[in-house]
Amino acid sequence: MLHINKETFKKDYREKFIAIHGKDIEEGTDYNKYEALGSLVRDYVAKMWIDTNKKYNQNGKKQVYYFSMEFLLGRLLGNTLLNLGIRNICKEALDGMGINLNKLEELEEDQGLGNGGLGRLAACFLDSMASLSIPGHGCGIRYKYGFFNQKIINDSQVEVPDNWLKNGNVWEIKKSDKARVVKFGGEVKVDYIYGYLRFNHINYEEVLAVPYDIPIVGYKNNVVNTLRLWSAEPLSNEFDFSLFNRGDFRKAMEYKDSVEAISKILYPDDSFYEGKLLRLKQQYFFVSAGIQSIIYHFKSSQVNINELDEKIAIHINDTHPTLAIPELMRIFIDEEDIGWDNAWRMTNNIISYTNHTIMAEALERWPVDMFKTLLPRIFMIVEEIDKRFCEELQNKYYNQWDKIKRMSIINDGYINMAHLAIVGSHSVNGVAKLHTEILKKQNMADFYYYYPNRFNNKTNGISHRRWLISSNPKLALLLKSTIGDSFIAHPTDMINFEKFAEDKNVQAQLEKIKFENKRKLADLIYRTNGIEVDINSMFDVQIKRIHAYKRQTLNCLRIMDLYDELVENPSLDIIPRTFIFAGKSAPGYYMAKDMITLINVLADKINRDDRVNKKIKVVFMENYRVSLAEAIIPAADLSEQISTTTKEASGTSNMKFMMNGAVTIATLDGANVEIRDEVGNDNIVIFGITENEVLNYYKNGGYNSQQIISGDTRLKRVIDSLIDGTYSKDKNRFKSIYDNLVTYNDEFFVIKDFYSYLEAQKKVDELYKDKSKWQKMCAINIAHSGIFSSDRTIKEYATGIWGSKCLYKNLE
Ligand SMILES: *Cc1c(COP(=O)(O)O)cnc(C)c1O
């Protein structure tokens, strides 16, 4: 453990400040103070980092590499201090110097290298692996620009580049000596040398992959794992300069720009596949660099390459890193002279794959021509994998050509990355029970039948250290004072809090904590939106990516309906509510952008309307990101998890809200089902059509939204108000939303679920009226949230998929 006290910390901090800024603390800006603190903390971590790596190398335990195109880390200072166990010392010491730690923490830019749930999951997994002392590291891309910043201008989303590195990044260490070369384009010459086939890749373009390492600190256990992010650079000493010397500056700069483009931007699409060449380049770039660096490391530490599958596990987060499969094969075969069968056996043992969505528009299918031109040798290997797999299928499914074609990796000119991922891994997992069952019986039924033992479920989780202890310290303190602090290391111990659910004193404290968190959020809303909200109203929150399947539309229609009802009947008996939204839309997703505009227009209209604004207000908080989620979730009374059943693979914000004592209103989708099973029907409000109804409509048709609307005056009034000038002088402003619901038959069953949702909201009001009952529900939700800690999820991955052991403890 770190042995520092307030006095040594003060001394270290003063010295650090002077060393990096060349002036006294008193002359420094707050940002200078943040930089000095971050830099000092990184120094503290450095020695533990080296020790951890030494231990991993000495004891030879299996190392896990989590490959992901996205890591949505958010801020690192607060969590790193917490995990080092020095947050209090640090806070008090800084207080003594007249510096406010919270204020410095707020100055840190979010590390926003992800779109949403998938990237945040990767971040929570890193935290849990380190905290469980599992030798597990991340591998990804160091995007120069992260997920765009969202501004709301004239009620609409405007995207602004996220230049997060403009002031440097105190957490990263550039490791130039560990750079690797990644090869694109060119041709493959096949030669026979001494009777052996040799594949000679020639005329390729070289890109230098330079790693930046970020320390991932475990909770009070001396473990520091590594997140390695790759940045693309030109090989300046060769190609570039020869062009310069010949005076061809323009071409030299073009080369430089095209190389740097690879790690320049994060694609801002969530659950949507865009078949761009640059994206394919990004995928191969980080996968090839990552795998080369792993193999180099193990070879230089005297590991027999033929036993590599006993030493490492590589996990691929969705299909984005699937090229890990042919890249491993390439290195085994072309560089290590291993025969196909052995190479394939090891690759299979090493790789495991998580599926994140069943939505067709998210499935990655690369056009063969593009793929072959960019990655000629990798294409040959994929072709060979496909050929061998189809031969296997023919043995089993003799002459069933439809089935064989359906399952093949390459067909109709496309490479199906999910198929490659399934065939090349020993484990395929879904992210919640319902999702895994749908994979098995619907989307991947052929593969499940063929490889029944490969499929398994690993329900997602969240780091309770970030999402409870760090972001809701008052609630964490209440838990400690009631059930002790064992839940920090063993989150399922939170179940002991259930005993206090009916304790009036505890209920009062829960209410007080929520109230204080709401006051803090209300202040933030006032500062950012200029809206005064009533902290005695219910905070009803839907924050997540804006997407048709997540059904912000349903929430909006119900607010519009309530608005109409309130205008007609001002004495309507409802609980006053503040409807809080946040979320980004993909820049090219026009319907979702119109949804954002609709929410903002609703907010303008309702908040200004004195007939209703004592009872309801609407707030859209701009630029949703991890740090904003940390501010909103502890203040939520009601968690909106209202996706169309079958569409949300798991969801993770549902777990964050529950852990912070919000009650959930939900469809039985994704992990909501498991939350319901945990807390029981009395402590969650469920509505909406079932999985079977949805699957049946998709299969057999029979749904007609127009018909439902036309026979229903109340629904018709709400839907028509989208296009009759109520919310915009330009009657076409929300036509896209209208068309989706009416003209295109409401793919996501918003109309179908409308009344069921209204009923559920009425029930929420009833429950909220009884304060004691409501607090009891909150307490039960908190008590049952422990199994949704990502510590539980990671233990399941470690024992069930990776076969990894931790350094210090047993995975019980
Ligand atoms: C947790 C989280 C998500 C995922 O939210 P869902 O509601 O599960 O889709 C997305 N973005 C951020 C910033 C998060 O913290």
Side-chain angles (χ1 to χ4, degrees):
M1 287 296 273
L2 263 179
H3 293 294
I4 54 164
N5 58 37
K6 269 194 271 184
E7 291 317 309
T8 56
F9 175 83
K10 278 186 192 170
K11 181 167 164 286
D12 292 347
Y13 183 65
R14 212 174 276 287
E15 282 170 8
K16 185 65 173 186
F17 191 98
I18 292 169
I20 67 170
H21 294 305
K23 58 186 174 189
D24 280 326
I25 296 183
E26 292 67 31
E27 298 167 64
T29 63
D30 284 345
Y31 195 79
N32 290 155
K33 290 170 193 166
Y34 158 73
E35 284 175 309
L37 180 57
S39 177
L40 175 60
V41 172
R42 211 198 63 194
D43 287 355
Y44 285 155
V45 165
K47 196 179 157 301
M48 283 160 55
W49 204 355
I50 296 168
D51 286 348
T52 302
N53 281 323
K54 271 194 193 135
K55 286 212 177 80
Y56 288 163
N57 290 338
Q58 280 160 8
N59 77 11
K61 280 181 176 159
K62 204 179 209 182
Q63 309 251 347
V64 179
Y65 298 90
Y66 195 83
F67 277 46
S68 179
M69 269 199 110
E70 304 187 4
F71 287 92
L72 187 50
L73 265 59
R75 293 175 177 147
L76 292 182
L77 179 56
N79 259 76
T80 305
L81 289 173
L82 176 80
N83 285 7
L84 286 172
I86 60 169
R87 193 165 188 284
N88 287 337
I89 289 174
C90 190
K91 186 169 169 40
E92 287 165 18
L94 288 170
D95 273 341
M97 302 166 90
I99 300 170
N100 181 321
L101 175 59
N102 289 340
K103 202 163 142 195
L104 299 195
E105 284 174 357
E106 295 280 314
L107 295 176
E108 181 175 357
E109 287 267 345
D110 272 47
Q111 192 160 326
L113 308 186
N115 272 282
L118 175 145
R120 184 55 230 173
L121 184 76
C124 285
F125 281 5
L126 293 179
D127 183 30
S128 286
M129 288 194 289
S131 294
L132 293 166
S133 72
I134 290 173
H137 313 284
C139 177
I141 298 174
R142 180 181 178 270
Y143 300 105
K144 181 154 187 231
Y145 294 93
F147 194 24
F148 68 81
N149 283 316
Q150 177 194 56
K151 290 223 175 297
I152 301 298
I153 297 178
N154 293 331
D155 294 322
S156 297
Q157 168 174 299
V158 173
E159 300 93 24
V160 181
D162 168 39
N163 191 5
W164 69 290
L165 289 166
K166 62 181 179 297
N167 298 317
N169 175 7
V170 296
W171 303 109
E172 65 185 15
I173 299 185
K174 182 176 184 176
K175 299 270 174 74
S176 300
D177 58 315
K178 299 213 157 99
R180 311 251 67 103
V181 173
V182 178
K183 299 171 181 174
F184 291 104
E187 304 110 53
V188 178
K189 264 184 54 209
V190 185
D191 295 325
Y192 269 99
I193 299 175
Y194 305 118
Y196 287 99
L197 269 180
R198 290 280 156 192
F199 299 91
N200 214 344
H201 192 181
I202 54 171
N203 297 332
Y204 45 77
E205 184 174 285
E206 295 186 327
V207 172
L208 194 65
V210 182
Y212 288 71
D213 287 355
I214 294 171
I216 306 293
V217 176
Y219 185 76
K220 294 186 184 173
N221 65 358
N222 293 315
V223 168
V224 183
N225 287 342
T226 302
L227 168 58
R228 176 161 284 182
L229 299 178
W230 297 93
S231 177
E233 290 184 8
L235 274 98
S236 53
N237 48 354
E238 293 170 23
F239 195 56
D240 203 6
F241 272 120
S242 68
L243 283 170
F244 257 116
N245 293 342
R246 276 185 270 134
D248 201 346
F249 301 122
R250 195 180 56 83
K251 202 152 181 203
M253 290 315 283
E254 269 173 21
Y255 163 72
K256 182 171 177 289
D257 288 347
S258 78
V259 167
E260 288 173 352
I262 296 172
S263 56
K264 191 159 257 172
I265 56 140
L266 165 79
Y267 277 94
D269 290 320
D270 194 52
S271 311
F272 185 79
Y273 159 71
E274 230 184 318
K276 294 267 165 53
L277 177 66
L278 182 59
R279 171 116 174 148
L280 183 59
K281 264 191 177 171
Q282 291 185 330
Q283 296 186 348
Y284 185 65
F285 168 73
F286 93 95
V287 160
S288 176
I291 287 183
Q292 287 185 54
S293 119
I294 292 166
I295 291 193
Y296 179 84
H297 171 77
F298 281 92
K299 284 186 67 175
S300 55
S301 47
Q302 317 299 319
V303 166
N304 178 349
I305 189 83
N306 290 291
E307 292 166 5
L308 191 66
D309 56 335
E310 291 163 28
K311 298 293 171 196
I312 68 169
I314 293 177
H315 198 88
I316 58 178
N317 193 21
D318 212 317
T319 55
H320 319 142
T322 302
L323 294 173
I325 293 163
E327 177 67 0
L328 264 179
M329 291 296 286
R330 181 187 71 79
I331 294 177
F332 286 149
I333 293 168
D334 295 357
E335 295 182 7
E336 301 298 333
D337 281 332
I338 297 172
W340 182 279
D341 290 338
N342 270 333
W344 184 242
R345 182 186 49 77
M346 282 204 286
T347 299
N348 226 267
N349 288 340
I350 289 169
I351 305 276
S352 48
Y353 154 59
T354 296
N355 172 282
H356 282 272
T357 174
I358 58 161
M359 302 222 299
E361 60 268 37
L363 298 181
E364 292 195 294
R365 291 162 75 244
W366 293 108
V368 163
D369 290 339
M370 182 198 288
F371 193 102
K372 200 167 156 175
T373 310
L374 185 69
L375 306 167
R377 176 61 185 137
I378 293 296
F379 179 71
M380 292 172 78
I381 293 170
V382 173
E383 257 188 326
E384 184 67 22
I385 294 171
D386 185 43
K387 182 174 144 253
R388 288 171 185 240
F389 177 58
C390 288
E391 280 165 12
E392 246 180 75
L393 290 175
Q394 277 173 48
N395 287 332
K396 181 155 175 156
Y397 303 124
Y398 183 70
N399 274 356
Q400 295 182 47
W401 298 112
D402 279 355
K403 191 183 187 94
I404 293 168
K405 185 175 170 195
R406 218 167 49 223
M407 293 177 73
S408 63
I409 295 166
I410 307 175
N411 75 54
D412 290 339
Y414 288 93
I415 304 175
N416 188 318
M417 299 304 269
H419 293 188
L420 179 56
I422 299 169
V423 173
S425 329
H426 66 279
S427 167
V428 179
N429 74 281
V431 290
K433 283 177 190 164
L434 177 75
H435 167 63
T436 301
E437 287 310 306
I438 293 173
L439 284 181
K440 292 199 290 193
K441 70 180 186 228
Q442 306 270 330
N443 304 64
M444 294 180 171
D446 290 331
F447 286 98
Y448 176 54
Y449 191 76
Y450 192 70
Y451 300 122
N453 300 325
R454 238 170 239 202
F455 285 77
N456 63 89
N457 176 246
K458 298 285 171 280
T459 299
N460 281 169
I462 55 164
S463 163
H464 62 291
R465 285 167 291 276
R466 176 174 294 263
W467 294 105
L468 171 62
I469 300 167
S470 169
S471 62
N472 198 346
K474 288 177 185 137
L475 182 56
L477 213 60
L478 175 62
L479 287 172
K480 282 183 208 168
S481 71
T482 47
I483 61 171
D485 57 11
S486 71
F487 74 93
I488 301 173
H490 303 280
T492 45
D493 285 357
M494 285 165 75
I495 197 67
N496 296 325
F497 193 60
E498 196 166 25
K499 288 198 286 289
F500 296 90
E502 297 192 52
D503 181 322
K504 295 289 178 222
N505 183 277
V506 169
Q507 289 182 356
Q509 292 192 59
L510 273 178
E511 194 177 349
K512 181 162 171 277
I513 291 165
K514 187 66 79 183
F515 196 76
E516 287 168 2
N517 291 337
K518 283 165 79 171
R519 191 198 312 275
K520 226 169 124 191
L521 180 60
D523 289 347
L524 179 63
I525 290 172
Y526 186 71
R527 287 201 303 277
T528 55
N529 294 50
I531 302 170
E532 279 184 61
V533 300
D534 174 6
I535 41 182
N536 291 303
S537 67
M538 184 199 301
F539 280 18
D540 174 336
V541 182
Q542 186 173 21
I543 50 174
K544 48 184 75 249
R545 288 302 292 262
I546 310 291
H547 207 294
Y549 86 83
K550 291 181 182 275
R551 301 203 295 188
Q552 281 89 1
T553 327
L554 180 58
N555 197 343
C556 279
L557 292 183
R558 153 273 191 147
I559 295 171
M560 289 155 64
D561 175 73
L562 181 61
Y563 181 32
D564 291 341
E565 298 278 299
L566 272 176
V567 169
E568 270 175 19
N569 178 9
S571 60
L572 196 69
D573 179 30
I574 60 156
I575 300 284
R577 293 203 200 198
T578 303
F579 303 104
I580 298 169
F581 292 86
K584 293 173 185 171
S585 157
Y589 187 177
Y590 294 100
M591 222 279 285
K593 290 179 107 168
D594 290 345
M595 278 303 312
I596 292 173
T597 309
L598 178 61
I599 297 167
N600 281 291
V601 167
L602 269 173
D604 293 344
K605 202 167 162 69
I606 290 175
N607 300 346
R608 260 192 241 128
D609 190 335
D610 291 333
R611 293 172 299 176
V612 301
N613 63 15
K614 298 281 175 304
K615 285 193 168 163
I616 56 172
K617 284 219 168 112
V618 180
V619 178
F620 186 95
M621 299 188 77
E622 71 181 8
N623 206 25
Y624 185 53
R625 62 201 186 283
V626 172
S627 58
L628 187 59
E630 288 173 289
I632 297 174
I633 292 170
D637 293 306
L638 186 66
S639 160
E640 298 271 352
Q641 307 299 336
I642 61 176
S643 55
T644 308
T645 302
T646 73
K647 296 291 177 185
E648 187 78 271
S650 164
T652 48
S653 78
N654 44 4
M655 303 167 184
K656 299 169 194 165
F657 281 104
M658 172 197 196
M659 196 174 274
N660 282 275
V663 171
T664 307
I665 181 168
T667 50
L668 282 178
D669 198 16
N672 300 346
V673 179
E674 288 155 76
I675 293 178
R676 192 274 315 261
D677 291 346
E678 269 298 315
V679 301
N681 278 312
D682 290 345
N683 296 296
I684 188 168
V685 179
I686 298 292
F687 75 98
I689 58 174
T690 61
E691 176 206 358
N692 283 333
E693 281 176 276
V694 172
L695 296 177
N696 190 44
Y697 275 135
Y698 283 138
K699 206 165 144 200
N700 304 318
Y703 179 62
N704 186 334
S705 65
Q706 260 178 65
Q707 208 169 25
I708 301 176
I709 297 164
S710 66
D712 184 322
T713 49
R714 186 168 174 184
L715 247 175
K716 194 162 176 354
R717 174 179 68 180
V718 177
I719 301 292
D720 283 348
S721 70
L722 286 169
I723 51 161
D724 67 4
T726 306
Y727 293 104
S728 171
K729 275 185 219 126
D730 172 5
K731 291 186 179 178
N732 282 322
R733 189 67 195 80
F734 302 116
K735 185 83 168 24
S736 62
I737 300 170
Y738 176 91
D739 280 340
N740 235 278
L741 297 173
V742 183
T743 320
Y744 306 124
N745 201 28
D746 184 22
E747 185 187 351
F748 296 103
F749 303 104
V750 172
I751 301 300
K752 175 88 187 165
D753 275 347
F754 180 72
Y755 282 109
S756 163
Y757 184 52
L758 291 193
E759 276 305 305
Q761 291 291 5
K762 218 190 258 167
K763 189 169 166 204
V764 170
D765 265 11
E766 289 307 312
L767 292 165
Y768 196 78
K769 275 181 192 154
D770 183 342
K771 280 196 171 171
S772 168
K773 189 166 184 180
W774 185 267
Q775 291 307 329
K776 180 183 164 194
M777 289 172 71
C778 296
I780 289 173
N781 272 273
I782 296 165
H784 285 268
S785 67
I787 76 155
F788 298 107
S789 165
S790 45
D791 287 9
R792 185 269 311 150
T793 315
I794 282 298
K795 282 182 196 174
E796 291 179 0
Y797 275 87
T799 55
I801 299 178
W802 303 328
S804 54
K805 300 272 187 308
C806 43
L807 200 53
Y808 296 125
K809 299 188 281 193
N810 286 324
L811 292 170
E812 65 275 55

